[in-house]
Amino acid sequence: MIKVIPMTEEYIDDVAEIDEHCFHVPWTRTDFEREIRENKLAIYFVAVNEDNKAVGYAGMWHVVNEGHITNVAVLESYRRMGIGDMLMEALEERGLELEMIGITLEVRISNYGAQKLYTKHGYKPEGFRKKYYTDTNEDAIIMWKYFPNYENYSETL
C-alpha cells in the first residue's frame, strides 16, 4: 500500500535516486538537502511503499500567493498505479490550505505522459518558454491551475 506523506530528511537518498532514474538532468542530494533544510518556500511530499521507501515525490515552492511545481517523479516500476495523482492531489490540497490562487509548472513539450497527468488535474497550457531545458534546448509548456479564490483575488486588482 502506498501512502503520501510530507518529505523529511530521511527520504533524501530515496528521492535523489528517483530523480537520477527519472530526469535527464537530475538534482543532486545536496539540492534536496537545501530544499528540505533551508528553502522556506519549499513544500515536498513523498509516496512511500510498505517498506517505507520513497517510490515517488513531488515538490513545489510557495511564492507569495502561488505554487510553482518544481518536480514530480515516480519510479518506473511504480507508474500507472495512481501515485502521480496522489502526489498532485497532496500538492493541490496544501495549496488550497495556504490560500494560493493557483499552481503553475513547466513541462517538456515532448513529455506527453506528464502533460496528460497535469491536464487530468485541471492544468491548462498558458504559454511557452523557448529553449527552457538546457540539456536539449527543448521548449517548455507553461501550465496553470487556478483555484476558486483566484476569482476573488483578480477582482481586487
Side-chain angles (χ1 to χ4, degrees):
M1 177 164 180
I2 302 294
K3 63 181 176 179
V4 173
I5 59 174
M7 182 177 161
T8 59
E9 287 189 44
E10 77 178 279
Y11 296 105
I12 289 175
D13 286 332
D14 290 350
V15 168
E17 185 178 325
I18 293 166
D19 226 53
E20 188 78 31
H21 288 287
C22 293
F23 294 110
H24 296 284
V25 182
W27 286 17
T28 65
R29 185 183 201 294
T30 303
D31 293 330
F32 288 110
E33 286 174 349
R34 201 173 300 122
E35 286 292 281
I36 297 302
R37 293 180 184 161
E38 300 171 23
N39 187 348
K40 302 291 186 231
L41 306 175
I43 300 166
Y44 281 81
F45 291 95
V46 289
V48 296
N49 64 15
E50 54 280 344
D51 297 324
N52 201 37
K53 180 167 175 58
V55 297
Y57 82 96
M60 75 176 167
W61 296 334
H62 180 195
V63 182
V64 186
N65 60 355
E66 304 170 357
H68 185 107
I69 292 178
T70 55
N71 291 324
V72 177
V74 176
L75 287 174
E76 191 169 355
S77 59
Y78 283 85
R79 292 183 189 159
R80 310 236 186 287
M81 297 171 64
I83 296 170
D85 291 317
M86 293 166 64
L87 290 164
M88 292 297 294
E89 289 165 9
L91 291 177
E92 292 167 9
E93 286 173 16
R94 188 70 181 122
L96 287 166
E97 289 169 6
L98 293 169
E99 299 181 356
M100 293 179 186
I101 62 167
I103 299 176
T104 188
L105 58 88
E106 290 90 8
V107 60
R108 284 182 190 267
I109 206 161
S110 65
N111 192 342
Y112 303 116
Q115 291 173 42
K116 185 176 177 183
L117 173 68
Y118 303 141
T119 300
K120 177 180 175 184
H121 283 268
Y123 291 76
K124 294 185 171 126
E126 293 214 358
F128 294 93
R129 296 199 194 284
K130 294 288 184 190
K131 300 182 181 181
Y132 182 76
Y133 294 96
T134 56
D135 60 322
T136 61
N137 284 325
E138 187 172 1
D139 296 346
I141 301 170
I142 304 165
M143 299 182 82
W144 270 94
K145 177 176 183 172
Y146 294 101
F147 294 145
N149 58 345
Y150 173 73
E151 291 177 21
N152 297 335
Y153 176 78
S154 62
E155 289 173 6
T156 64
L157 297 178

